[in-house]
């Protein structure tokens, strides 16, 4: 989707986001948003400072947050129990402010692989993973993940053997889901930070497995 | 039997899942932040917003992009609620598009 | 439990693919404001029970291609649920 917007280069300074798209031509979509924004500010509904502050807040939501939690759970069984029973409180323990009404962690096991989709829109645990990736919001994923999960996973290069059941979680209402992947073999000596680096965004929605250690 | 919502696509046949990532554009990040504020301030409710997306014509929805329909859904909702005046909004959007710059914001 | 098709027009969060299907309650999720009211400017109060319902994939899709133990879980509000065998 929006493939025509992929092509600008990204060797900009990530810390100066106000400049990052200035080399792109103004599209109708952006113009409509800018019109909306300017009217909301003029009418006193919100201020430009509030928008900036909220953008900074939203930037904290990134896959690194979920990875930190899962890595902690891999090394600390008591934390893992707390994360499975109350994911929001477990996030708060690591200083992560989760804005979702309710978060649930679901653990992959040798007998069951879990994956998440929101068929009706694109519900996603943004506080722990940031904005959803293009595949997750695509109509193809939303349509097919519930009906042919194994085929969809194979497109991601993930082949789940038939001896392992697949549970698809349609995130259709009030809960938001985090998948806790299994800790890869051969990671016994790794630090929590090194473990977190193995936990990719897609592994937390069940569309990938953690990276194997080098 | 009630007609299926345009958003109710779970289980329908579809092509390959796109594997290519796409970074959010700056204005899209601004848009998400502004929409978050509209919710936090109680101007709009998530389910109202979803409903406006569901009310889009099927053909429009089928051809819409994720950020495009979010923007259009919010504009529809704010007009419905009287927060936004449709004519004022259209005029402002046309001016900005004609100017082609981001300088005035 | 059986998922009803309550014939309600407008904003609902029960996708058609699970309607008339039979599954089991996996967990009670808590009480949540009713989205079917909130979508129209009402408060959605009092909050209503929400359940996580699990289905065998074979029970949803007659031509499902996967393992017999494959399941799907989805959140369903109380008024969409009836005892298995009942449907209206």
């Amino acid at each position: 989707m929006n493939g025509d917007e992929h092509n600008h280069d990204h060797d900009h300074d990530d810390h100066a986001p106000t400049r990052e798209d200035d080399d792109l031509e103004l599209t109708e979509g952006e113009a409509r948003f800018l019109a909306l924004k300017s009217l909301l500010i003029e009418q006193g509904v919100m201020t430009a400072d509030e928008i900036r502050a909220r953008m900074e807040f939203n930037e904290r939501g990134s896959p690194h947050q979920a990875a930190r939690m899962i890595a902690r759970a891999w090394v600390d069984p008591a934390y893992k129990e707390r994360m499975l029973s109350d994911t929001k409180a477990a996030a708060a323990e690591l200083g992560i402010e989760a804005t979702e009404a309710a978060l649930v962690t679901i653990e992959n096991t040798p007998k069951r692989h879990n994956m998440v989709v929101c068929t009706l829109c694109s519900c996603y645990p943004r506080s722990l993973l940031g904005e959803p990736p293009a595949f997750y919001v695509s109509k193809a994923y939303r349509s097919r993940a519930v009906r042919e999960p194994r085929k969809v996973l194979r497109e991601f290069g993930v082949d789940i053997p038939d001896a392992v059941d697949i549970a698809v979680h349609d995130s259709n209402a009030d809960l938001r889901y985090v998948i806790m992947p299994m800790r890869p073999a051969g990671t016994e000596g790794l630090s929590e930070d090194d473990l977190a680096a193995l936990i990719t965004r897609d592994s937390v929605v069940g569309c990938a497995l953690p990276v194997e250690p080098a | 039997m009630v007609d299926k919502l345009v958003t109710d696509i779970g289980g329908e046949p579809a092509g390959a899942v796109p594997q290519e990532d796409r970074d959010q554009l700056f204005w899209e990040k601004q848009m998400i932040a502004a929409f978050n504020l509209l919710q936090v301030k109680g101007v709009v409710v998530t389910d109202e917003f979803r409903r406006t997306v569901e009310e889009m014509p099927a053909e429009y929805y089928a051809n819409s992009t994720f950020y495009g329909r979010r923007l259009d859904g919010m504009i529809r909702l704010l007009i419905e609620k009287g927060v936004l005046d449709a004519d004022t909004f259209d005029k402002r959007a046309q001016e900005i598009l004609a100017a082609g710059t981001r300088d005035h914001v | 439990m059986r998922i009803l098709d309550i014939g309600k027009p407008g904003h609902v969060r029960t996708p058609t693919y699970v309607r008339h299907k039979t599954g089991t309650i996996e967990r009670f999720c808590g009480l949540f404001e009713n989205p079917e009211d909130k979508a129209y400017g009402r408060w959605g109060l009092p909050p209503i029970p929400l359940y996580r319902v699990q289905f065998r994939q074979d029970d949803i899709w007659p031509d499902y291609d996967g393992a017999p133990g494959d399941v799907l879980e989805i959140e369903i509000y109380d008024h969409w649920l009836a005892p298995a065998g009942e449907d209206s």
Side-chain angles (χ1 to χ4, degrees):
Chain A
M1 48 176 23
N2 285 358
D4 54 333
E5 291 173 2
H6 277 255
N7 298 328
H8 67 291
D9 62 60
H10 265 275
D11 52 343
H12 319 264
D13 179 3
D14 280 341
H15 298 290
T18 49
R19 299 270 82 88
E20 69 190 16
D21 301 326
D22 280 4
D23 51 344
L24 294 180
E25 205 168 308
L26 189 71
T27 60
E28 190 181 349
E30 182 174 356
R32 283 163 61 77
F33 168 67
L34 293 176
L36 171 61
K37 185 181 86 163
S38 67
L39 289 170
L40 290 174
I41 291 172
E42 277 172 32
Q43 293 171 207
V45 178
M46 62 184 64
T47 67
D49 280 345
E50 286 177 316
I51 297 176
R52 265 192 294 276
R54 182 68 199 203
M55 286 174 79
E56 281 176 23
F57 177 83
N58 286 352
E59 292 285 331
R60 289 187 228 157
S62 86
H64 182 58
Q65 306 289 34
R68 282 170 60 208
M69 294 175 69
I70 293 164
R72 173 67 58 87
W74 281 351
V75 300
D76 180 347
Y79 182 83
K80 179 177 168 181
E81 282 310 308
R82 295 199 294 281
M83 183 171 169
L84 289 170
S85 63
D86 188 343
T87 303
K88 267 186 91 154
E93 273 188 54
L94 301 191
I96 303 164
E97 186 185 339
T99 54
E100 288 78 9
L103 282 168
V104 172
T105 302
I106 296 168
E107 189 185 5
N108 283 345
T109 69
K111 299 194 87 72
R112 176 171 287 181
H113 179 84
N114 296 277
M115 66 189 279
V116 185
V117 59
C118 171
T119 60
L120 294 173
C121 41
S122 295
C123 298
Y124 192 71
R126 288 175 168 77
S127 302
L128 304 185
L129 285 178
E131 275 293 301
F135 84 80
Y136 189 87
V137 306
S138 72
K139 296 189 186 87
Y141 184 74
R142 289 170 48 204
S143 298
R144 294 177 52 215
V146 289
R147 186 177 192 138
E148 42 186 19
R150 288 173 187 271
K151 209 168 158 190
V152 169
L153 287 176
R154 279 196 290 274
E155 288 174 26
F156 284 87
V158 178
D159 205 350
I160 303 294
D162 276 357
V164 178
D165 295 337
I166 292 188
V168 179
H169 301 268
D170 191 345
S171 180
N172 64 318
D174 290 296
L175 309 191
R176 300 291 173 267
Y177 297 87
V178 172
I179 305 300
M180 185 189 294
M182 285 189 289
R183 181 172 174 167
T187 57
E188 289 71 21
L190 292 190
S191 70
E192 215 174 300
D193 282 349
D194 289 342
L195 287 171
L198 307 178
I199 300 158
T200 60
R201 175 193 70 197
D202 295 355
S203 72
V204 181
V205 289
C207 288
L209 301 176
V211 177
E212 294 290 330
Chain B
M1 183 71 187
V2 177
D3 282 348
K4 218 172 165 178
L5 296 173
V6 294
T7 52
D8 189 1
I9 59 176
E12 288 187 1
V17 174
Q19 298 288 337
E20 194 181 348
D21 261 337
R22 170 188 179 283
D23 288 335
Q24 261 187 309
L25 301 173
F26 181 73
W27 74 267
E28 292 168 342
K29 293 181 191 169
Q30 275 195 316
M31 183 177 90
I32 301 301
F35 289 4
N36 292 150
L37 289 170
L38 287 170
Q39 290 172 327
V40 171
K41 289 168 178 282
V43 179
V44 302
V45 171
T46 302
D47 287 294
E48 293 176 317
F49 168 69
R50 289 174 176 155
R51 193 237 320 145
T52 60
V53 173
E54 289 158 5
E55 288 169 354
M56 291 175 177
E59 196 183 345
Y60 174 90
Y61 184 83
N63 294 309
S64 64
T65 62
F66 180 56
Y67 290 100
R69 65 177 172 268
R70 286 172 99 175
L71 176 60
D72 286 343
M74 189 59 83
I75 291 167
R76 280 165 180 248
L77 180 57
L78 292 172
I79 291 171
E80 175 190 302
K81 285 176 162 281
V83 176
L84 212 58
D85 175 75
D87 292 338
T88 310
F89 170 77
D90 285 341
K91 192 160 163 272
R92 178 69 58 90
Q94 284 309 317
E95 284 168 8
I96 292 174
L97 192 59
T101 68
R102 300 170 175 88
D103 294 347
H104 50 89
V105 277
Chain C
M1 304 297 289
R2 182 94 162 163
I3 309 301
L4 301 173
D5 190 344
I6 64 176
K8 190 170 183 175
H11 179 71
V12 297
R13 297 298 290 179
T14 306
T16 48
Y17 75 86
V18 292
R19 297 184 196 174
H20 307 290
K21 308 294 182 191
T22 301
T24 55
I25 291 186
E26 188 265 340
R27 72 174 84 176
F28 171 62
C29 305
L31 298 172
F32 290 88
E33 293 161 4
N34 186 346
E36 296 162 16
D37 289 344
K38 287 173 81 182
Y40 299 92
R42 297 188 293 270
W43 294 105
L45 296 173
I48 53 173
L50 179 69
Y51 297 92
R52 191 97 191 126
V53 181
Q54 186 183 90
F55 300 88
R56 293 180 62 247
Q57 287 279 33
D58 286 332
D59 288 339
I60 301 180
W61 317 107
D63 57 350
Y64 182 73
D65 183 14
D70 286 359
V71 295
L72 180 129
E73 292 186 10
I74 187 164
E75 295 153 47
I76 304 289
Y77 297 96
D78 187 57
H79 57 288
W80 288 85
L81 291 169
E86 287 179 26
D87 205 333
S88 56

